[in-house]
Each structure stands twice: as structure tokens, then as C-alpha cells.
Amino acid sequence: MSQFAINLLFVGASFALYIGIAIWARAGSTKDFYVAGGGVHPITNGMATAADWMSAASFISMAGLLASGGYANSTFLMGWTGGYVILAMLLAPYLRKFGKFTVPDFIGDRFYSNTARLVAVVCLIVASVTYVIGQMTGAGVAFSRFLEVSNTWGIWLAALIVFLYAVFGGMKGITYTQVAQYVVLIIAYTIPAVFIAFQLTGNPIPMFGMFSTHTESGIPLLEKLDDVVNALGFRDYTADVDNKLNMVLFTLSLMVGTAGLPHVIIRFFTVPKVADARWSAGWALVFIALLYLTAPAVGSMARLNLATTVYPEMAGQVENYEEAAQNPILYEERPDWVRTWEETGLINFTDLNNDGRIQMYNDSADFSDRGWEGNELTVNNDILVLANPEIANLPSWVIGLIAAGGIAAALSTAAGLLLAISSAISHDLIKTMINPKITEKGEMLAARISMGGAILLATYLGLNPPGFAAQTVALAFGIAGASLFPALMMGIFSTRMNNSGAVAGMLAGLLSTLLYIFTFLGWFFVPDTNMLANTPDNWIFGISPLSFGAVGAMINFAVAFAVCSVTKAPPQEIQDLVESVRFPKGAGIAVDH
Amino acid sequence: MADDKSNAAKYWKANVRLIAGCLVVWAFVSYGCAILFRPLLAGIPVGGTDLGFWFAQQGSILTFIGIIFFYAWKMNKLDKKFGLEE
């Protein structure tokens, strides 16, 4: 069977499964549509949350980020997992007790203000739309590489599949497809990792293999990797970071952003009890950690594999790296996977010094004494995971599995985001603010139409990515962390926080973060409109625009408390409401009103 | 009613104390061991690198899981102790 047929089989089988679930899990009521009926088992919800959370970026890009950045990019690992600790302790159980359908629902009711509700809806939509574009383009890349269709067709196909189960099943359909998608993506991710760890270290468990001895050279794998990248002019893989303040703030921004992202929070509205919300966060992190603990092993091993493919003499015990670097492979003798990926344009070769060999090294290092005239091979970070099975010569069914896994990761996150967007429109805007008299049936229809509309918008933006599409980390995490997270937390932990304080805080956090981002990345990300060059010298206190979300959150808290202290305390019934969300007793399943 | 209120207030105080303790551990492993104190831990080798690197890429995540399950378990006990469970 050809590779194409195998890919088609794996992807086709996974689609059949998702559509089967869609038919089985149709939504009968708004409660089904928004919170899957409120009866999802905490372990099931944990698994669905993991799929909801792990996007095309986690599946495809994470290992590549670690491979290129080494220790410095550990921020993503800690940030995207540590957020669950604060979510589990500071938000999830109380929001579950509150028992409504959406995040703006809580903010609007708790701060007895439709202005607060509207600010929350706008933040939610900007963050989620930015996020969903990456999922659509990610699915497009996976489709076009593995199923040999054009990028455009790939994106339309992804939209159609999501449409089938999200419009008919709502949260109910999404929850059970996410469980299936988690299983597909985690198997697809770990199998190649196990093979590669075994090949390189003899230890089949990637998390242990990474810290054990590299078989071919007889020294620890990470030490070997440091030696190899050093010989090619890069910093050590494990090298420490100089700007610790920025590293701390970036990690913190990712953590509070994670905890404040509405599509993650609403998953915890689907469990039956408050105690389940706490357990469920733990299970979600267990399922997420299976991938996140494997990713560093995949990243480091793929980097070593790539380097020793180009410089075969560096693979074993090396006396002199200077000499080993003299004999990279001839371009004519490059392995097949390099040829395949060259066709996609994600690997590029230019023979700068016309010696017919591939010189791959740090372009800013000067190796003219070796007769090198510049780095000749550029490899896109994103292909490391997708090309892993080919680099390690794994059987062709593993490649089919990776195709299905990458698509599962993109679709599951897209569906969660689309639900967050559509419920904010149909529930918060239409039902609560515009037409409170709408019937249950009418709201269901509104929810389905908003979902369809959100899918069309995401498809359009996936096909024509705007400038902000690449800014998921800055925009989505910045806004969720600086605006939504503090408002939610103060709504629970301060009985005194009032409407004026919350609105002022949210706006201050949001605007200060956007201002800082736009200063360095351009107004609305339009190129060349930035007021300062985006270089570490210009950053205030060395804080990068991506790390500003944590500072924005602090500004939010400070402004909120300042404004609150000079304005009227919230009415008694609101203070009673806050006190009642603090303990589990008396919680029912999520209700409408 | 007043008893209910002071009971709930005590429960909340216990919860906040527990959260504070958990957050200290959370910050210690991630911002501490993995980032700020890494140079201090450089002398402790772990498979080809140092303890700080291991915390940054493995240890902190494992600790996070432990913290959430510990918190959930403790809170279940607190819920029962104060008679505030569902």
C-alpha cells in the first residue's frame, strides 16, 4: 500500500469516528449545547480538556520550539502547564458553583454590569478568534502534506468536519469527539518518541531516555547535544538565560493567560459537582503532561538526529569536532525525507560555497576559516514532529498516525474555541443583553447559527490570515491574562470589589497590554508602524512584549482596587452571592437562570 | 444563620491558607528551582545536565500535578469537616 493510501486510511478512520460520535451526541437543549448537559465524568472531562488545550501549536510546534531554543524555551512547558494549578485553586471550583454557561455570564452577574459583560465578551472574542486562526492554518498544513490536497481544500475540509459535530452536538458533541481526538493525538505523539528514544539511548521511555547515555557516543545525550551544537556555532542547548526577569514574567504571563482562557474555563462547567471540577483539573494536567513531558525528549533528540544526519562523523565518539565538521554529507546523497520536505518549501538548501556539501550551522557565527560562506540548510521548526518518523526510518503506518494526530489536535482546539465564541454571542449578547424573552428553542437556533457563522469566519481568516494571526501568544494569552483572569479572581476573592473597579481594572489591563505590544510589534500588527524597534535594548526593564501580560494583570489589580476603594460597595445580594460561590454546598448542575 | 456565616468564613480562611501554601510550592519549583535558583543548583548533576534544567523541563510539571491532586484531596476533607460538601 502506498504512503498516501495509508495516510488516507488513518485520517479517514478517525473522521468516521468523529462523525459517528456527532450522530450519537446530538444536543437536545441549550444545557446540552453549552455545558454537555452538566453530567460529564471528571476523568472524561480531563481528557476532553487536554484535547481542547493541546492545539496544533502544542502538537506540531512545541518540540520544534524546544529543539531550537533549548533551556530558554522551557517557559512554554512551565507556562502552559502551571496555569492549571491556579485554574484549579483560584477559579474552576467557584465558577462551577456559580453554575452559569459562559465566562461573561459570571463577570456580568458578579459585577452587576452589562458594561463589564460586554468588555468580557469583546476580550473573549478577540482572544479566541486569534487563537482559532492558527488551528485552521495548522489543519491546512497537515492536510496538504499528508493527503496531497491544496491548503485551501484542507482548510475547507477541516471546517466541514468541525461543522458536523459542533453545530449539531454543541458542547456535548465536542466533549466526546475531544476524548476520541485526545486518544488519537497522544498515541500519534508518543509512538515515534518511544522509537526514537530507544534508537538513540536504548531506553524506550522518552522522559528517561533524554537524561540517559547516548548509545553511539557513550556520553549522556544532553552533553553530546551541547558538544554538537557548540561545534556548529550555537550556544549550548542547556545554556542558562541571562535575562531572568523576562523569563519569569513570560512564564507568569503564559500561566495567568492559560487560567483566563474562556475555552478552557467553560470545560469545567460540564462536570456534575464542585469537587469534580478540582479533580478534573488534576486529570486534565495528567493527560496534558503525557505530551508535555515527552516534547522535550522529542525536541532534543530530533535536534541531535538532524545534526548527525548532516554531519555523520559527529554521531559517534568524536576526538576533534573541528575535523568532524569538515565532512558534512553531499547534497546529492541527502536522505529521502529531506527531498520530500524540500518540495513543501519547509526545508531549503542553497550551496553558497559551491562544494556540493550541506553546511548547516549558526548563521551569525563566523566559520570562514573552515571555508564556509553561510548556513546552507534552513529547516522550519514545525516539521520536526511531522518528519520525525521519516528521520528515524519508522514504518509507514506511523506516518499515517502522525497525520491523523496533527489533524485531531487542530480540530479539537478549534471546536472548543468556536463554542466559546458562539456561546458568548448567542447567550451573552442575544439572550442576556438584546432579547431576554427569547425562547429555549430560539436560543438553540441562535447558538447553532452563531456556531455556523463562527466557523465561516474562522475558515475565511484561515484562508486569508491577517497580520495578527501569528500573534496568538501575544494577543490571546496577553488579553486573557491581563483582562479576564484578574476580573474573575477578584470576583471570587474580594467581596468588596464593585462594578466600577472591575470595569476600570479590565480596561486598564487590556489597554496597557495592547499599548505595549503595539509599541514594539506595530499598531494592530501592521508592519512598520511600531514606534520602537522590537529589540531587547528597547524593552522597558528588558521585558519583551510577549511577557507583558503578567504586568498588565498587575496593573489590572492595582487600578481595580484603587477605583473600588473610592466608590460604593456592591449591593448586599452581590456580597451574598460571592460568599455562596466559595463553598460547594447547594450547587446544582449548571442552570440557565 | 450567624453560625452558618461564621462556619463558612472559617472554611474560607482554611481554604485561602491552603491555597497560599500550595502556591508557595508552585512558585518554588517553577520560578525558583527552574529559573532563579538554577545557578545555585548547577552543582547537582542530572543525566548530562543540572537539576535546574530537569526542573524546567520535567520536575516542575510533575510537581504541578501533585499540587492539584493534593489540593483536591485536602479540600474534600475540608468540605466534610465544615459540613459544606454537596
Side-chain angles (χ1 to χ4, degrees):
Chain A
M1 210 161 28
S2 71
Q3 184 62 55
F4 174 71
I6 292 170
N7 292 348
L8 201 62
L9 189 74
F10 272 85
V11 175
S14 66
F15 281 6
L17 181 65
Y18 308 152
I19 293 169
I21 293 170
I23 294 167
W24 169 71
R26 276 186 317 259
S29 64
T30 48
K31 205 166 80 197
D32 279 351
F33 197 91
Y34 294 135
V35 294
V40 181
H41 189 275
I43 298 183
T44 311
N45 184 53
M47 217 179 255
T49 308
D52 195 58
W53 176 241
M54 292 190 288
S55 56
S58 291
F59 189 91
I60 299 173
S61 313
M62 174 71 102
L65 277 173
L66 291 163
S68 63
Y71 166 78
N73 278 346
S74 310
T75 45
F76 292 102
L77 287 171
M78 291 188 285
W80 286 342
T81 53
Y84 281 85
V85 177
I86 44 182
L87 184 61
M89 298 194 299
L90 304 181
L91 302 181
Y94 322 106
L95 295 177
R96 171 64 196 83
K97 168 72 190 282
F98 181 68
K100 293 291 179 68
F101 290 156
T102 70
V103 169
D105 234 1
F106 175 79
I107 291 182
D109 285 9
R110 162 63 183 85
F111 298 115
Y112 46 99
S113 152
N114 270 349
T115 317
R117 197 186 307 270
L118 194 64
V119 174
V121 168
V122 171
C123 290
L124 181 154
I125 289 178
V126 174
S128 302
V129 167
T130 314
Y131 214 118
V132 83
I133 301 170
Q135 311 312 313
M136 300 310 280
T137 49
V141 170
F143 273 112
S144 58
R145 167 64 187 86
F146 293 110
L147 296 183
E148 296 167 29
V149 294
S150 73
N151 203 31
T152 311
W153 275 105
I155 290 175
W156 277 112
L157 209 54
L160 179 73
I161 298 290
V162 174
F163 187 88
L164 283 178
Y165 64 81
V167 171
F168 295 108
M171 188 57 129
K172 198 172 163 199
I174 290 171
T175 301
Y176 296 102
T177 29
Q178 280 176 336
V179 171
Q181 283 158 338
Y182 176 76
V183 175
V184 172
L185 82 86
I186 201 68
I187 292 176
Y189 202 83
T190 44
I191 286 184
V194 166
F195 272 110
I196 291 167
F198 186 72
Q199 281 176 352
L200 287 184
T201 66
N203 192 331
I205 302 170
M207 305 81 163
F208 296 150
M210 183 184 174
F211 297 94
S212 45
T213 307
H214 179 233
T215 323
E216 225 177 325
S217 63
I219 59 172
L221 183 117
L222 288 169
E223 212 176 301
K224 176 72 187 170
L225 182 55
D226 279 349
D227 290 346
V228 168
V229 297
N230 230 313
L232 301 175
F234 295 100
R235 293 188 75 192
D236 275 359
Y237 189 79
T238 58
D240 208 352
V241 167
D242 300 326
N243 189 345
K244 299 247 175 197
L245 172 70
N246 188 49
M247 188 169 177
V248 165
L249 286 177
F250 186 48
T251 310
L252 186 59
S253 301
L254 292 176
M255 286 188 188
V256 292
T258 301
L261 278 171
H263 74 285
V264 179
I265 296 175
I266 53 173
R267 284 241 45 100
F268 293 92
F269 297 168
T270 66
V271 295
K273 285 163 47 176
V274 174
D276 294 334
R278 301 180 194 130
W279 290 119
S280 199
W283 284 111
L285 192 52
V286 168
F287 294 123
I288 291 167
L290 277 178
L291 192 145
Y292 278 33
L293 293 173
T294 308
V298 173
S300 54
M301 290 175 191
R303 176 104 183 251
L304 185 60
N305 253 339
L306 181 65
T308 55
T309 302
V310 176
Y311 300 90
E313 288 177 19
M314 287 198 188
Q317 283 172 332
V318 181
E319 292 292 328
N320 185 339
Y321 275 97
E322 221 22 64
E323 271 170 37
Q326 292 302 329
N327 286 315
I329 52 165
L330 288 163
Y331 180 65
E332 283 308 315
E333 290 167 12
R334 67 197 185 280
D336 281 340
W337 62 267
V338 176
R339 293 170 204 262
T340 341
W341 286 93
E342 269 179 327
E343 285 165 23
T344 63
L346 297 172
I347 290 186
N348 271 307
F349 174 75
T350 342
D351 196 359
L352 294 169
N353 62 352
N354 294 313
D355 66 347
R357 292 180 183 275
I358 301 176
Q359 271 93 28
M360 181 187 71
Y361 64 102
N362 184 1
D363 219 10
S364 38
D366 179 22
F367 283 123
S368 47
D369 55 322
R370 294 184 189 169
W372 294 357
E373 289 170 19
N375 174 42
E376 300 177 346
L377 192 77
T378 52
V379 179
N380 185 308
N381 276 333
D382 284 354
I383 72 164
L384 282 184
V385 167
L386 300 178
N388 234 344
E390 298 158 271
I391 299 177
N393 283 316
L394 301 184
S396 46
W397 61 267
V398 180
I399 301 171
L401 202 55
I402 286 274
I407 293 167
L411 294 186
S412 57
T413 305
L417 290 160
L418 290 164
L419 186 88
I421 297 168
S422 65
S423 58
I425 294 170
S426 64
H427 190 71
D428 298 312
L429 283 185
I430 297 176
K431 161 95 186 176
T432 312
M433 295 176 73
I434 298 172
N435 180 11
K437 287 192 199 117
I438 193 167
T439 60
E440 158 95 10
K441 244 184 152 176
E443 193 186 346
M444 271 295 274
L445 185 65
R448 290 199 158 118
I449 294 172
S450 334
M451 176 65 88
I455 294 175
L456 281 179
L457 176 72
T459 311
Y460 173 78
L461 293 173
L463 292 170
N464 311 287
F468 61 88
Q471 305 295 341
T472 308
V473 170
L475 258 190
F477 285 85
I479 290 176
S483 184
L484 295 174
F485 173 78
L488 292 168
M489 191 181 158
M490 288 184 291
I492 298 158
F493 283 79
S494 161
T495 38
R496 177 66 174 76
M497 185 49 62
N498 60 14
N499 53 355
S500 333
V503 172
M506 277 200 284
L507 289 176
L510 176 70
L511 297 177
S512 60
T513 305
L514 287 180
L515 178 70
Y516 197 77
I517 293 175
F518 289 157
T519 304
F520 295 102
L521 301 179
W523 288 95
F524 301 95
F525 305 106
V526 176
D528 302 323
T529 57
N530 52 326
M531 295 179 292
L532 289 168
N534 189 22
T535 56
D537 301 338
N538 284 337
W539 298 342
I540 300 169
F541 297 117
I543 301 169
S544 102
L546 303 186
S547 313
F548 199 80
V551 181
M554 292 171 211
I555 294 174
N556 185 335
F557 281 120
V559 170
F561 280 110
V563 172
C564 175
S565 66
V566 294
T567 43
K568 229 170 71 190
Q572 191 56 42
E573 72 261 23
I574 295 294
Q575 300 195 21
D576 291 344
L577 172 80
V578 177
E579 270 163 18
S580 78
V581 300
R582 290 177 170 183
F583 52 81
K585 195 178 181 180
I589 44 173
V591 287
D592 196 359
H593 277 284
Chain B
M1 188 62 201
D3 270 358
D4 272 5
K5 269 213 148 163
S6 75
N7 185 45
K10 272 190 207 136
Y11 166 86
W12 183 247
K13 232 182 194 163
N15 178 21
V16 172
R17 234 189 342 256
L18 178 61
I19 292 174
C22 289
L23 285 180
V24 168
V25 180
W26 166 80
F28 177 74
V29 292
S30 52
Y31 303 108
C33 298
I35 302 179
L36 298 172
F37 310 146
R38 189 177 174 211
L40 304 176
L41 300 171
I44 308 171
V46 174
T49 177
D50 55 280
L51 189 62
F53 182 91
W54 182 82
F55 262 107
Q57 303 213 332
Q58 303 278 318
S60 57
I61 301 175
L62 294 169
T63 316
F64 294 156
I65 296 175
I67 296 172
I68 300 183
F69 279 107
F70 172 76
Y71 176 75
W73 170 73
K74 267 289 207 193
M75 281 311 285
N76 271 8
K77 284 182 43 173
L78 275 187
D79 289 350
K80 288 205 181 73
K81 187 178 159 199
F82 287 87
L84 289 169
E85 79 271 31
E86 271 176 82

